[in-house]
Structures are given as structure tokens and as C-alpha cells.
Amino acid sequence: MRTLEAFNKLGISLDLALEAHELLRGATKEEIPGVQEDKESYDYAEVTTVTILNDQGAQIMGKPMGTYITIEAPRIRFESKEIMDDISELLGKKLETLLKIPPDSPILVIGLGNWNATPDALGPNVIDATMATRHLFQYAPEVVGEGLRPVCALAPGVLGITGIETAEIIKGVVERVKPSLIIAIDALAAANISRISTTIQLADTGINPGSGLGNKRIGINQESMGVPVIAIGVPTVVHASVIVHEALSNLNEKWSGNVMTATYAQKITPDLSRELSQSIFQPFEGNLVVTPKEIDDLILNVSKIIAAGISQGMHPGINRGNYQQYLQ
Amino acid sequence: MRTLEAFNKLGISLDLALEAHELLRGATKEEIPGVQEDKESYDYAEVTTVTILNDQGAQIMGKPMGTYITIEAPRIRFESKEIMDDISELLGKKLETLLKIPPDSPILVIGLGNWNATPDALGPNVIDATMATRHLFQYAPEVVGEGLRPVCALAPGVLGITGIETAEIIKGVVERVKPSLIIAIDALAAANISRISTTIQLADTGINPGSGLGNKRIGINQESMGVPVIAIGVPTVVHASVIVHEALSNLNEKWSGNVMTATYAQKITPDLSRELSQSIFQPFEGNLVVTPKEIDDLILNVSKIIAAGISQGMHPGINRGNYQQYLQ
Amino acid sequence: MRTLEAFNKLGISLDLALEAHELLRGATKEEIPGVQEDKESYDYAEVTTVTILNDQGAQIMGKPMGTYITIEAPRIRFESKEIMDDISELLGKKLETLLKIPPDSPILVIGLGNWNATPDALGPNVIDATMATRHLFQYAPEVVGEGLRPVCALAPGVLGITGIETAEIIKGVVERVKPSLIIAIDALAAANISRISTTIQLADTGINPGSGLGNKRIGINQESMGVPVIAIGVPTVVHASVIVHEALSNLNEKWSGNVMTATYAQKITPDLSRELSQSIFQPFEGNLVVTPKEIDDLILNVSKIIAAGISQGMHPGINRGNYQQYLQ
Amino acid sequence: MRTLEAFNKLGISLDLALEAHELLRGATKEEIPGVQEDKESYDYAEVTTVTILNDQGAQIMGKPMGTYITIEAPRIRFESKEIMDDISELLGKKLETLLKIPPDSPILVIGLGNWNATPDALGPNVIDATMATRHLFQYAPEVVGEGLRPVCALAPGVLGITGIETAEIIKGVVERVKPSLIIAIDALAAANISRISTTIQLADTGINPGSGLGNKRIGINQESMGVPVIAIGVPTVVHASVIVHEALSNLNEKWSGNVMTATYAQKITPDLSRELSQSIFQPFEGNLVVTPKEIDDLILNVSKIIAAGISQGMHPGINRGNYQQYLQ
């Protein structure tokens, strides 16, 4: 019941590679061929790096080959300055490991999502907080400090507002601006409530169709953009149907362990989960999300952490001690 | 399973009298002593008036004696001007039936909720859109048109931001301003997804502890305020635990009807529902809500309808044809 | 003193062709070679069409050849529904006269300006209110009503936030989306306080370097974009140095008419105006604007009028009676 | 020409005691009877304390007896973390000197102004950032850290939105909440452009009719509230008529020094200034303000400084090192 297959039946793609891997490995923690997982511990965070090594791994995971770094930091919800600074610094360092370009190569930061929809506004919020420097190199090189690189930033909006595929807008800008790399920020959906606004995923695979909160139909990745794309995502919601599925999975597990109830556990299937969800979620089918009541605050908080982290990761001269003067 | 008792076990109070009454009557639609229900049909709305006639009804319903008018208008989500105008007009007329004060008596409109939390911002949004006239009577009587009454408006904020019980703030203002009646606007939680932003409840009982999205501990009602209080509420969320409960209730019903599964249906109880919810909803227990992704838009839309409706209900001189010049 | 030359000396370009023409013609209303002016009167508006006919006119006016239609509607500040609808309809009709493309050709609407700076947020606000239809033609043609054309919409941000010249972003998108025409919305600076948020200029010349509130260095016009560009602008500020200049010009005029004071009037020159301005405007030199206190409201109001007007002008099937269901 | 009398003729009251005192003292820096001025220098700020000692001083200054502390910090516009922290700390220390109440006495913070009007939103912004603690003492005393006092916070709105005199709302709340002291935050108008968002005034006299951006008709002071009121204000605008007056004053001064022009300098009077202003400022008379284009940013920035500063001043346990975890 708690399997990747079940999620597929519910029509929900798992945005976090970590969650997909966990589901695939199951309770027995079996190894998945073509997929490697490494864990590190920090004061306020666990970092899990899932590497999809080959096509076999990609097919099983339903995600492209590449590196997926997940920072889990449950305590960032409490907004302590020290914890926030720690996580930003860690994010910066992890981002650096994925940047395979010279320190003066230009980067385009893209904030995906809809600034008028709270849980989808993560990307635009990060853009608002990130300092663009590219124009300074061009028009006022004398004010550019040591250790900065040219960075430009765009919040292209969503298809429903622009009428243009987001990938088309970005591709057009990429062709004019010619960055060496793109960093794309996006709000994700998680399978687990506890990850909302506390987990950050970096992936060197870019953004692929169907992922994230908005309905992207065209990928934003090396293939479509012609330059490497690093995706940074934070779960801001859990799909409502996941809640139903989780409840039934828990019931299934609870009953499976008992001789008396095991035959009924078998009746609790993904199909049943989908059937029950559909009847409850009319007329919003597929469009319902679960969020904490304080989601507006949580989004602002994690947006600041991301902006601080990518500034430190992109610019050699920005660090934990001075990042605040480079944010807006 | 789908009973008022079950909801109580989950710690969820039903804000809509309509929903409480439905649950109590159950599938067999039995009469509830001390409670009367009347229905009317309109082009774009069904209106249900639940009247709690006596103490017995109040005790069974878990709500004070009084009149609860519910306007269900599923089509207002589509933002047609005509439908919106229809529902505003209907709201105005229903409000008028509850106003037992002379047409020139002053009214205080209170927008409850937190303007920084999207689903809880209904009240403050309505205040932003409503035109205050009380100061005009005082300082510029010559500009006050025919058919207006003195109206003042306040969005007092929430306990977590002000550090003051909302009822205390309002009581303080009431003692200075001495309105003849209070209209209090609040975001509600529903038991049914389809009611989010499509249902409007008017109640002449005011607002009672524990209701609404914010955690009010002191009522805002005739008893505490000394003047009649009409509450106008719109469900903007469904508590996440209701979703789990609904899924299990559906499973329970599905199985109950069948000889083979009926014994297992009995195992699906409110206690089980609570147990499964708690394990899923860590660490946000009690604080998770289900909303449509487009909740920001829906709230703005229904806020305009409420502002237009109460303006028509409060001022004899404002109607469907001219309300727009009295909104802000 | 009240001459185009004087404004040039102050480093202020006049965004409204109407104002430039008025200054050139002076009190004696002399004809300007190569420039034609026509006036029409409506219930709530005066429309002035300034046509720059040839190179001579362009050079004198300091603006490219083309048609500049100005709608002056001082009463739209009062937010009457009827007046707003009148002006939107008029704007739609005037826009139609400038659209020389078939009714099904795609249009790209660009909202210039900074959504985080109130007086510069006109463009992004209009984008927020305008309905994109291009993606519907692509993905859901069955929901597209009669009389709509493909419209897409973009708020590209400003150089200081994106690090990219706005014209570069637009050019990139134009190359992908291939619209037949661009409509660019921008906040302007006026020379006259009374025009703030009450005057709308349409120009078939696009947007040229140095115009508008943001500092655009590259034009957004047929030359740079390869398709016709219609600019729609509304003054939202007056530069503070214009106020000083106006005061001194008034003094100059007052004194010029009198034998006793005329010699002193001669001392009140544009150079003096610039000198006095500079000493007052430290440390914000050039960056100070004059606005009414209620500018936030005025911008929202006129943004709605523009969005309603361009929707009527672009789509044959949208009119005064039904536009509201096509706004967001 | 540059006299307090001239400002009175223009109908402009000077919100900063420092500016009123400067004008009174004039170029010759004469002593004003009943008024004392002391200056201190800090790394990033000059602090001027103007004390109005007696009735004579009050009458000349047009302000009540009391202490007016002005922090001038031109560099806070550059948003360096160090400078911002310095000024917040300094504000906290100066606030402490005015608090004549025990460290556990409750304080009510009032954010005056209109949250929908950028330059007037200073007060509400400070409330949004300030942590209320009063309810924690009541409902969760175990989470209240050492060195905190009960603080509550209210943004009452403005007369035009509420229809209620702001002083009435506050008085009503004061009677219920019974604070020992009120701190009222308000946006001010300055006479000098350079003070916009860089100058902070603390006054133990509260807020008196006619001061600030909104038109308050009733004071918020010890007399009306029954408890001491400390006003904290930041200039966010300069009235447009001040600009005209400044330009003419500069011209007057320039000419006064010269035998040839001195007779004409005499013609440049406050009456002339008023006359010229009125003709320019139609139809916004009295309602036009001058702000930097980036006013939205400046207000947010200085709001954070004020929130950080008053938190340090009010709570013995909050200081430069830990204030961020007490802001919202």
C-alpha cells in the first residue's frame, strides 16, 4: 500500500527523490539497483544524497539520472536566527558542490510559481530577496565588490496568468542573456506533512514535466535550455489525496500484522484510496492541498533561507557573516 | 461514524449549523427536537434556515438558540458578475431580516481574523472593502447621501499578534462608540470540501468560543457585548482530520452494507480515525487545513460578495444597482 | 521659462506628447511644423490626438513620428462605476483604431515597472487583472468563447531586480511566442499634478529610451522588437524638480507682466530652477517624486480601468456589458 | 522666510521638534527661552535632545512641554546590517531613558496609520514585526523567557477606514487592557528631504492633534489616555508645499545678500509661497507629498529598525544579540 506504485495510481508524482527512494526501499530497506544513498548529520539538519547512477535507476525511480541532495531541517520552522543561518550556510555549501562552472560565469536564477497563490509563491519570493548583479557589471563595474559573479533573476509567472509555457519564457531569456547555468526555485508537494517548509532539495537534473505545484508541461533542464539547470525545491503542501492514502495505509499496516484482520487489510488497496478520495474531493478534484494554517509565514521564512543560501553558494565573496547586505 | 459525536471526539466543532443539523438528522432525516429547518430555492442559491427554538435544541446542536441562515451558492466560484450580484443582493436581504434596529442606528462591522494568513483574512478583507460612514455624519454631514446609516468598521487582529483577546478589544471599542448592533465577519471551517468559499452563514447568535479559524476563547455575542451581534461566516478551509474521518466514514458505510464486511466496518470508529490522524499530522497536529490551491483568489472573490451584501443590507439607500460606488 | 527647453535643462523628459506639444505651442498657441493636434469631447473625457507627421516634427517634439492619443478624464479619481466603465470603453475604442492586425492575431501585453514600488506598479497590476487566453487556444480550445483572440501577458520586472534590460527579456519572449503586436503598459511622469492617475496616453510608437518611471536604456518599439508596439501610459507621479520649476515659472510670469518687476522676472531662469532644486533635493537628487497621499488606491483604480479597456480593445467579443467576467 | 511663522502660514505643522527649534533659532542660533538642546555623537548617528522646559517654551515651539529625542542616521538608508543593528540598539537605549515604569509593567504598542497607503504604513508595519507577549503571560506563562514584560500591540487603522477617531479606539482598549504605558508609532512629515526614513524622534509627550500623516483630531497623550504615552515617529514624506517654500526661501536668501536684488528678495514672502503652491497643487491641495521613488523599501527597512529598537528598549532580556528571535 505504501509504495511508489500506489502513488502512481493516485496520479501523484513524488517531487522529493528522497521520498520516492524511501517508498521503493520499503520497510525492509532493500537496495535499489542504480541508486545510491548517502547520509550526513549536522547540528540542525540531516542531509541525504540520492544519486541515480544509470538508466535502470532512473526508470525505477521515475526521475532522471543525477544527484538529489535533500536537507531536512525540522527546526527551521522555529525561526531562530542561528538555525536559519546554519541551514543557509549548509545550502550554500551543497549548492557549490553542484556548480561546475568558473566563479565569474553568469547565473540566471528563476523563481517559478505564482506570486498570487501563497503556497506557490516560494520562487517569486526568493527572486524578490535575491540581489541581481549582472547589470552592475555592465553599467557600474566600480561598485561591484570582490568575489561577486554576474547574477540575473526572473520570476516568469505561471501559464494560467501569462498564457505562455514557463519554459518558453525562460528559453527566450536564456537565448538573449546566455547564462552558464540556471538555478530554478520551485514549490514542491511532499508525501509527508512534516516536510512542509522544513526540507530543501537540490537537484542537478533541473525541473521535469509534471513536478512542482504548477502544472509544467515542458521541462526546464539541460536538454531544453542548453545549459545545466540546478533545481532547488521546498515542499509547501501535501496533496489532500495523500492524506487519505496515508490514513488507509496506516490502517492497512495496523491490520496486516494481525491474523484476525489481515484478510481485511488486503481489501485496503490504492484503488480503494483513489475511490474514497474522489468522492470526498468534489468539486476540487486534484486541486486540494493540505497546509499548516501559518503557511504564509512559513513560506516567507524559508524563502529568506533559500535566498541567503544561494547567495552564499553562487558568490565566493558572500558568506554567513555578510550575506544580509546582499539581500533585498 | 458520520455523527456529531464523532466530530466531537475528533475535537472539531462544526461552524455551520446546517452541517451540525445534517449530521444529527443522519441518513434517516429524523426530526431533532427544538430545531426547525426551512429551505428556499433561488436561481443560483439554496437557502436553509435552521432555527434553534429552545434549550433542548441548543444542547443537542451544541450551539446557542437563534436563527442560522445558510446561503449555498456553488457557482460563485466562477466569478460571473451576474451570479455575484445575485448572491450579494440575497445576502443583503437575508441580513435585513435579522436587523431589528431602526434604519439610522449605528452599526459596528468587525472583521475577525489574521490579515497575514490567507484563509483567515476574510474578515479584514471585508473591512478593507466596506465603506465607513460614521465619521461623515460627524464631520461632513453634507456629503452623506440619502438612505445611509452610520457604520464603523474594525479589523482588530488576532490574539497571537495583538496579545489581547479579540473580544476585549471589541468590547472596549463598543463602550466608546456605542453601536446599536455588531456584525462580525469570520472565516469558518466546514466539514465538506464543496462548501469552501461557496457557502455563507448568517447567525443572530453572534460568535461563540471555539468557533471560526482563530481560537477565540471569549464569545462576541449579545451577552458579552451588550448589543445584538450578527455573525457572518464563510468556510475557507476544512480541517485535515475531517478528510481522514470522511475517508474512513466512507469506508465504514461501504462495508456496513455487506454481510461479509460488516464486522470490519464496526472496527472503523471515531477513535480509530483520531488515532490515524494523529500519526499522520505530526508535527502540526490540529493546525493543518485543506484548501484549494487557488484559495487566495477565492477569498478575495467572496470578500467582495460579503462587502457588497452587507452594504445593501445595512443601508436602505444601497442596492444592487449602485453598491459599487460605496465599496472601497 | 515654461518651455520644452527649460525641461530639458532640468533633465526631465516629458512622457506625455500632449504636454510637450502644449509647452512648444506656448501661450500664443502657435502651430508646430510637422505636428497636428485634434480634439474630441466626451461626457467624462477630453481626447487629444497629437500626430507627429514627419522628421521635423519628431525633432522638435523630441519624440518619434506617430500617433499619440491622450484621454484626460479628471473624474475617474472619484471611482464611480459609470465613469470608469465609460473611460474603459473609450480606451478600448481608441486602442482598436491603433490595432492594424487581424482579429485573431496574437497579442503580447507587457506590464512594465516594479511591483514592489507603488507608483511604478501600474504595469504589473494591469497584467494581474488581464486574462491570458493564448494557452487556452493551445490546450483547451473548447472553452475559448467567440470573439476572443490569443493574448499572452508578462510582467518582466525592472533592471534593478532582474539584472537584465527589460527590452532583452521581452525580445527573448517575442522570439519564442511570435506575437503580431505588443501592448506595453507603463507608469509615466507628468508635468502637471492634475494628470496623476487621470490621464491615459496611447502611442503607436512604442516605448523609447528614457521614458517612464523606470530607467529604460533600450527602446521597446517596432525597431527593437520587429513587431508594432503600442504603448499605454498613465502618469502616476510628477518629478519633484518640476514642482520647483512650476513655482518659479509662476513667479516669473507674475512678475513679467509688470514694469516694476519685469527685470527681476528675467533673473528667474531654468538654470536658477535647477540650482535651487539641487540644493533642496539632496541626497535623493533626481529620484524624488510628488504623489497624492492616496496613490496606492489611485493606482489600483486606474489599473482596473486599463485592464478593462485593453480587454475590450483587443477582443471583438468583449464589451462594456461583459468585460468583468474576463478580468481576474 | 525660513521661519516657524512662515510654516504656520502655509498650514504645515512641523512634526519634528528638532526642525521647529532649528527654524526658531535661525541662522544666528539664538537661544529660545524655555527650550534646551543637547547633542551627542555616535558612530552612525547624531542624537539631539530638545527639552521644552516650561509653558513659555511650549508656546513658542507650538508643542507641549517634554523631552524630544531625535536620532539622525543618514546611513540607515544603505541597509547595512551593522548600521541597522547600531541604530536599533541606540533607539532601545533612548527609549529606556523615557520609560519610567517597572520592568514587569505592561506596555501597549500602537501602530498608527493606514496599512494601505505606503508612506503612512510605518505604524502597522512595526506592529506586524513586534512580538506580543501579554497573552503568553496569561495562557502559557511557562514559555515566557526571562526578562520579558507583557506587551500588547494594536494597529487601529485610520478614521477614513474605520469611521472611528483613532484615539477613541485606543482609549477603549486602554480601559480594558490597562497598560502602564503606551508607545505610539507614527509616520511624520519633515521639512527636509534628507530626513525621510533616516530620522527617528522619540517624545514623552505622546501624539497631539494635527501631527503625523493622518489627520488626527484628538490627541493620544497622558491627558486623553490616563497613562504616559511615548511617541516614536519617522518622517516618511515632505509636504509638496514645503518644496515650493524651500525653493523660494533659497531664492530669498540668495538675493537678500546682494544690494541689487535685496528689494526683490523682500517680495518673496510666505504669502507668495502659499499663493504659488495653491495654483500648482490643484486638485490635490494639501494632500500632495514628496517621497523618494523607493519609498516602499525605505518604509520596510525603517520599520524593522523600529521594531528591533523598541523590543530592546521594552524588554530587559532582549538585546542586540538576540532580538531577531523576538521579531515576527
Side-chain angles (χ1 to χ4, degrees):
Chain A
M1 184 69 178
R2 201 171 265 118
T3 62
L4 196 53
E5 205 193 337
F7 273 85
N8 290 341
K9 274 216 172 139
L10 292 170
I12 290 171
S13 72
L14 287 173
D15 289 340
L16 294 176
L18 174 67
E19 290 186 342
H21 196 223
E22 268 178 10
L23 277 181
L24 283 168
R25 297 183 76 188
T28 59
K29 297 262 175 195
E30 58 171 309
E31 290 293 312
I32 305 303
V35 183
Q36 186 184 314
E37 187 180 288
D38 301 291
K39 286 197 174 285
E40 297 161 89
S41 279
Y42 293 85
D43 281 358
Y44 300 116
E46 297 291 311
V47 174
T48 307
T49 304
V50 172
T51 314
I52 301 182
L53 301 161
N54 52 34
D55 279 348
Q56 189 188 9
Q59 213 177 331
I60 300 174
M61 289 280 287
K63 291 185 179 301
M65 277 173 55
T67 303
Y68 301 81
I69 301 172
T70 308
I71 300 171
E72 292 178 277
R75 293 185 55 190
I76 61 178
R77 283 204 294 121
F78 298 96
E79 298 192 32
S80 133
K81 173 94 178 84
E82 189 199 341
I83 298 176
M84 288 175 68
D85 277 358
D86 249 42
I87 304 305
S88 291
E89 194 179 26
L90 181 56
L91 168 57
K93 285 194 195 312
K94 291 299 169 189
L95 174 57
E96 267 180 72
T97 68
L98 299 179
L99 293 182
K100 311 252 152 77
I101 57 170
D104 57 352
S105 298
I107 292 179
L108 170 61
V109 183
I110 296 288
L112 298 167
N114 182 348
W115 48 73
N116 291 325
T118 306
D120 199 22
L122 176 82
N125 282 345
V126 172
I127 296 303
D128 263 2
T130 300
M131 190 178 75
T133 55
R134 177 177 173 272
H135 59 308
L136 302 178
F137 282 88
Q138 221 170 330
Y139 296 119
E142 71 285 0
V143 310
V144 180
E146 279 292 302
L148 298 188
R149 78 161 78 226
V151 166
C152 48
L154 191 72
V158 292
L159 180 63
I161 284 180
T162 62
I164 313 172
E165 278 289 345
T166 306
E168 277 190 273
I169 298 175
I170 300 171
K171 180 68 174 171
V173 173
V174 164
E175 278 167 358
R176 307 291 303 178
V177 168
K178 305 208 181 302
S180 298
L181 183 137
I182 295 170
I183 295 175
I185 319 292
D186 201 10
L188 306 179
N192 190 314
I193 287 291
S194 70
R195 292 213 171 91
I196 291 180
S197 87
T198 64
T199 291
I200 304 166
Q201 174 177 275
L202 300 94
D204 62 4
T205 56
I207 286 182
N208 295 286
S211 76
L213 276 204
N215 290 339
K216 282 164 280 285
R217 290 154 208 257
I218 304 176
I220 299 160
N221 47 34
Q222 176 133 23
E223 196 188 335
S224 63
M225 294 298 147
V227 296
V229 179
I230 294 174
I232 297 182
V234 175
T236 62
V237 302
V238 168
H239 286 294
S241 50
V242 172
I243 299 298
V244 171
H245 185 65
E246 276 294 297
L248 294 179
S249 298
N250 284 353
L251 181 57
N252 176 299
E253 274 173 24
K254 191 184 165 79
W255 282 2
S256 297
N258 183 302
V259 178
M260 293 286 289
T261 50
T263 53
Y264 284 88
Q266 288 170 27
K267 296 182 189 294
I268 301 167
T269 62
D271 283 328
L272 178 66
S273 170
R274 194 176 50 188
E275 182 193 330
L276 296 177
S277 286
Q278 281 170 347
S279 69
I280 302 170
F281 296 152
Q282 292 297 340
F284 292 96
E285 172 69 56
N287 215 5
L288 284 170
V289 292
V290 181
T291 62
K293 263 195 280 185
E294 66 270 31
I295 184 69
D296 303 65
D297 271 357
L298 294 175
I299 297 279
L300 283 180
N301 187 32
V302 77
S303 298
K304 281 185 220 156
I305 291 173
I306 303 282
I310 63 174
S311 296
Q312 294 176 54
M314 292 191 297
H315 301 288
I318 300 186
N319 54 51
R320 181 184 187 131
N322 69 0
Y323 77 85
Q324 286 195 313
Q325 66 199 80
Y326 296 99
L327 296 188
Q328 299 193 309
Chain B
M1 182 71 176
R2 203 171 264 119
T3 62
L4 196 53
E5 204 193 337
F7 273 86
N8 289 341
K9 273 216 173 138
L10 292 171
I12 291 169
S13 73
L14 288 173
D15 289 340
L16 295 175
L18 173 67
E19 290 187 342
H21 196 224
E22 268 179 10
L23 276 182
L24 284 168
R25 297 182 76 187
T28 59
K29 298 262 177 194
E30 59 172 308
E31 290 292 313
I32 306 303
V35 183
Q36 187 185 315
E37 189 182 284
D38 301 290
K39 287 197 174 285
E40 298 160 88
S41 280
Y42 294 84
D43 281 358
Y44 300 116
E46 295 293 309
V47 174
T48 307
T49 303
V50 172
T51 314
I52 302 182
L53 301 160
N54 54 33
D55 279 347
Q56 190 189 9
Q59 213 179 330
I60 300 174
M61 288 281 286
K63 293 185 180 301
M65 278 173 56
T67 304
Y68 301 81
I69 301 172
T70 308
I71 301 172
E72 292 178 275
R75 293 186 54 191
I76 60 178
R77 283 204 295 123
F78 299 96
E79 297 192 32
S80 133
K81 175 95 176 86
E82 188 198 343
I83 299 176
M84 287 175 68
D85 276 359
D86 248 42
I87 304 304
S88 291
E89 193 178 26
L90 180 57
L91 168 59
K93 286 196 194 311
K94 290 299 169 187
L95 175 57
E96 267 180 72
T97 68
L98 300 179
L99 293 182
K100 312 252 153 78
I101 56 169
D104 58 353
S105 297
I107 292 179
L108 170 61
V109 183
I110 297 287
L112 298 167
N114 181 351
W115 45 76
N116 291 323
T118 306
D120 199 23
L122 176 82
N125 282 346
V126 172
I127 295 304
D128 263 3
T130 301
M131 190 177 75
T133 54
R134 177 177 173 271
H135 58 309
L136 303 177
F137 282 87
Q138 222 170 331
Y139 296 118
E142 71 284 1
V143 312
V144 181
E146 278 293 302
L148 297 188
R149 77 161 79 226
V151 166
C152 48
L154 192 71
V158 292
L159 179 63
I161 284 179
T162 62
I164 313 171
E165 278 290 346
T166 306
E168 277 189 273
I169 297 175
I170 301 170
K171 180 67 174 171
V173 173
V174 164
E175 279 168 358
R176 307 291 303 178
V177 169
K178 303 207 182 306
S180 298
L181 182 139
I182 295 170
I183 296 174
I185 319 292
D186 201 10
L188 306 179
N192 191 315
I193 286 292
S194 70
R195 292 214 172 90
I196 291 180
S197 87
T198 64
T199 292
I200 304 167
Q201 175 177 273
L202 299 94
D204 62 4
T205 57
I207 285 183
N208 294 288
S211 76
L213 276 204
N215 290 337
K216 282 164 281 285
R217 291 155 207 255
I218 303 175
I220 300 160
N221 47 35
Q222 175 132 23
E223 196 189 335
S224 63
M225 295 298 147
V227 295
V229 179
I230 295 174
I232 298 182
V234 175
T236 62
V237 302
V238 168
H239 286 293
S241 50
V242 172
I243 298 299
V244 171
H245 184 64
E246 276 294 298
L248 294 179
S249 298
N250 284 354
L251 181 57
N252 175 300
E253 274 173 23
K254 191 185 167 80
W255 283 2
S256 297
N258 183 301
V259 177
M260 292 287 289
T261 49
T263 53
Y264 285 89
Q266 287 170 29
K267 295 182 191 295
I268 301 167
T269 63
D271 284 328
L272 179 67
S273 169
R274 194 178 49 188
E275 183 194 329
L276 295 178
S277 287
Q278 280 170 348
S279 69
I280 302 170
F281 296 153
Q282 290 298 339
F284 291 97
E285 172 69 56
N287 215 4
L288 285 170
V289 293
V290 181
T291 62
K293 264 197 277 185
E294 67 269 33
I295 184 69
D296 303 64
D297 272 357
L298 294 174
I299 297 280
L300 284 180
N301 187 32
V302 77
S303 297
K304 282 184 219 156
I305 292 173
I306 303 283
I310 62 173
S311 296
Q312 294 176 56
M314 292 190 297
H315 301 287
I318 300 187
N319 54 50
R320 182 183 187 133
N322 68 1
Y323 77 87
Q324 285 194 312
Q325 66 200 81
Y326 294 100
L327 296 188
Q328 299 194 308
Chain C
M1 181 70 177
R2 200 172 267 120
T3 62
L4 196 53
E5 203 192 337
F7 274 85
N8 290 342
K9 273 216 172 138
L10 291 171
I12 291 171
S13 73
L14 287 174
D15 289 339
L16 295 175
L18 173 68
E19 291 187 342
H21 196 224
E22 269 179 8
L23 276 181
L24 283 167
R25 299 181 75 187
T28 58
K29 297 259 177 197
E30 58 171 309
E31 290 292 314
I32 306 303
V35 183
Q36 186 184 314
E37 187 181 286
D38 302 289
K39 288 196 174 284
E40 299 160 88
S41 280
Y42 294 85
D43 280 359
Y44 301 116
E46 296 292 311
V47 174
T48 308
T49 303
V50 172
T51 314
I52 302 183
L53 301 160
N54 52 34
D55 279 346
Q56 190 188 10
Q59 212 178 330
I60 300 175
M61 288 282 286
K63 293 186 180 300
M65 277 173 56
T67 304
Y68 300 82
I69 302 172
T70 307
I71 300 172
E72 292 177 277
R75 291 185 55 190
I76 60 177
R77 282 203 297 121
F78 298 96
E79 297 191 33
S80 134
K81 174 93 178 88
E82 188 198 343
I83 298 176
M84 288 176 68
D85 277 358
D86 249 42
I87 304 304
S88 292
E89 194 178 25
L90 180 58
L91 168 57
K93 286 195 193 311
K94 290 299 168 190
L95 174 58
E96 268 180 71
T97 68
L98 299 179
L99 292 182
K100 312 251 151 81
I101 56 170
D104 57 353
S105 297
I107 292 179
L108 170 62
V109 183
I110 296 288
L112 297 167
N114 182 350
W115 46 76
N116 292 324
T118 305
D120 198 22
L122 176 82
N125 282 345
V126 171
I127 296 302
D128 263 3
T130 300
M131 191 178 74
T133 54
R134 177 178 174 273
H135 58 308
L136 302 178
F137 280 88
Q138 219 170 330
Y139 296 119
E142 71 283 1
V143 311
V144 180
E146 280 292 302
L148 298 188
R149 79 160 78 224
V151 166
C152 48
L154 191 72
V158 292
L159 180 62
I161 283 178
T162 62
I164 313 171
E165 278 288 347
T166 305
E168 278 190 272
I169 298 175
I170 300 170
K171 180 68 173 169
V173 173
V174 164
E175 279 168 359
R176 307 289 305 177
V177 169
K178 304 208 181 305
S180 299
L181 182 138
I182 295 170
I183 296 175
I185 319 291
D186 202 11
L188 306 179
N192 190 315
I193 286 291
S194 70
R195 292 214 171 90
I196 291 181
S197 86
T198 64
T199 292
I200 304 168
Q201 175 178 274
L202 298 93
D204 62 5
T205 57
I207 286 183
N208 294 287
S211 76
L213 275 204
N215 290 339
K216 283 163 280 284
R217 289 155 208 255
I218 304 176
I220 300 160
N221 48 33
Q222 175 133 25
E223 195 189 336
S224 63
M225 295 298 148
V227 296
V229 179
I230 294 174
I232 298 183
V234 175
T236 62
V237 303
V238 168
H239 286 294
S241 49
V242 171
I243 298 297
V244 171
H245 184 64
E246 276 295 297
L248 293 179
S249 298
N250 285 353
L251 181 57
N252 175 301
E253 274 172 25
K254 192 184 165 82
W255 282 3
S256 296
N258 183 301
V259 177
M260 292 287 289
T261 50
T263 54
Y264 285 88
Q266 287 170 29
K267 296 183 191 293
I268 300 168
T269 63
D271 284 328
L272 178 66
S273 171
R274 194 176 50 187
E275 183 193 330
L276 295 178
S277 287
Q278 280 169 349
S279 69
I280 302 170
F281 296 153
Q282 290 299 339
F284 291 97
E285 172 69 56
N287 214 6
L288 285 170
V289 293
V290 181
T291 62
K293 264 197 278 185
E294 67 270 31
I295 185 70
D296 302 65
D297 272 357
L298 294 174
I299 297 281
L300 284 179
N301 187 32
V302 78
S303 298
K304 282 184 218 156
I305 292 173
I306 303 283
I310 62 173
S311 296
Q312 294 176 57
M314 292 190 298
H315 301 288
I318 300 186
N319 54 49
R320 183 186 186 132
N322 69 0
Y323 76 87
Q324 285 195 313
Q325 66 198 80
Y326 295 99
L327 296 187
Q328 301 193 307
Chain D
M1 182 69 176
R2 199 172 266 118
T3 63
L4 196 55
E5 204 192 337
F7 274 84
N8 290 341
K9 274 217 173 136
L10 292 170
I12 290 170
S13 73
L14 287 173
D15 289 340
L16 294 174
L18 174 68
E19 291 187 341
H21 196 224
E22 268 178 10
L23 277 181
L24 283 168
R25 298 182 75 187
T28 58
K29 298 261 177 194
E30 59 172 307
E31 290 293 313
I32 306 303
V35 183
Q36 187 186 314
E37 187 182 285
D38 303 290
K39 286 195 174 285
E40 298 159 88
S41 281
Y42 293 85
D43 281 359
Y44 301 115
E46 296 292 310
V47 174
T48 308
T49 303
V50 172
T51 314
I52 301 182
L53 301 160
N54 53 33
D55 279 348
Q56 190 189 9
Q59 212 176 331
I60 300 174
M61 289 281 286
K63 292 186 180 300
M65 277 174 56
T67 304
Y68 300 82
I69 302 171
T70 308
I71 300 172
E72 291 178 276
R75 293 186 53 190
I76 61 178
R77 283 204 294 122
F78 299 96
E79 296 194 32
S80 133
K81 172 94 177 90
E82 188 198 342
I83 298 175
M84 288 175 68
D85 277 359
D86 249 43
I87 304 305
S88 291
E89 194 178 27
L90 181 56
L91 169 58
K93 286 195 195 310
K94 290 299 169 190
L95 175 57
E96 267 180 73
T97 68
L98 299 179
L99 293 182
K100 311 251 153 78
I101 57 170
D104 57 353
S105 297
I107 292 178
L108 170 61
V109 183
I110 297 288
L112 298 166
N114 182 350
W115 46 76
N116 292 324
T118 305
D120 198 23
L122 177 81
N125 282 345
V126 171
I127 295 303
D128 263 2
T130 301
M131 190 177 76
T133 54
R134 177 178 173 273
H135 58 308
L136 302 178
F137 281 87
Q138 222 170 329
Y139 296 118
E142 70 285 359
V143 310
V144 180
E146 280 292 302
L148 298 188
R149 78 160 79 225
V151 166
C152 48
L154 191 73
V158 293
L159 180 62
I161 284 179
T162 63
I164 313 171
E165 278 289 348
T166 306
E168 276 190 274
I169 297 175
I170 300 171
K171 180 68 174 170
V173 173
V174 163
E175 279 168 358
R176 308 289 304 178
V177 168
K178 303 205 181 306
S180 298
L181 182 138
I182 296 170
I183 296 175
I185 320 291
D186 202 10
L188 307 179
N192 189 314
I193 285 292
S194 69
R195 293 215 171 90
I196 290 180
S197 87
T198 64
T199 291
I200 304 167
Q201 174 176 275
L202 299 94
D204 62 4
T205 57
I207 286 182
N208 294 287
S211 75
L213 275 203
N215 290 338
K216 283 165 278 287
R217 290 155 207 256
I218 303 176
I220 300 160
N221 48 34
Q222 175 133 23
E223 196 188 336
S224 63
M225 295 298 148
V227 295
V229 180
I230 295 173
I232 298 182
V234 174
T236 62
V237 302
V238 168
H239 287 293
S241 51
V242 171
I243 298 298
V244 171
H245 185 64
E246 277 295 297
L248 293 179
S249 297
N250 284 353
L251 181 58
N252 176 300
E253 275 172 23
K254 192 185 165 81
W255 283 2
S256 296
N258 183 303
V259 178
M260 292 286 290
T261 50
T263 54
Y264 285 88
Q266 287 169 29
K267 295 182 191 294
I268 301 167
T269 62
D271 284 328
L272 178 65
S273 170
R274 195 177 50 190
E275 182 193 330
L276 295 178
S277 287
Q278 280 169 348
S279 70
I280 302 170
F281 296 152
Q282 290 299 335
F284 292 97
E285 171 70 56
N287 215 4
L288 284 170
V289 293
V290 181
T291 63
K293 263 196 277 185
E294 67 270 32
I295 184 69
D296 302 64
D297 272 357
L298 294 175
I299 297 280
L300 283 179
N301 187 33
V302 77
S303 297
K304 282 185 219 156
I305 292 173
I306 303 284
I310 63 173
S311 296
Q312 294 176 55
M314 292 189 299
H315 302 287
I318 300 187
N319 54 51
R320 182 183 186 134
N322 69 359
Y323 76 86
Q324 285 194 312
Q325 66 198 80
Y326 296 98
L327 296 188
Q328 300 194 308

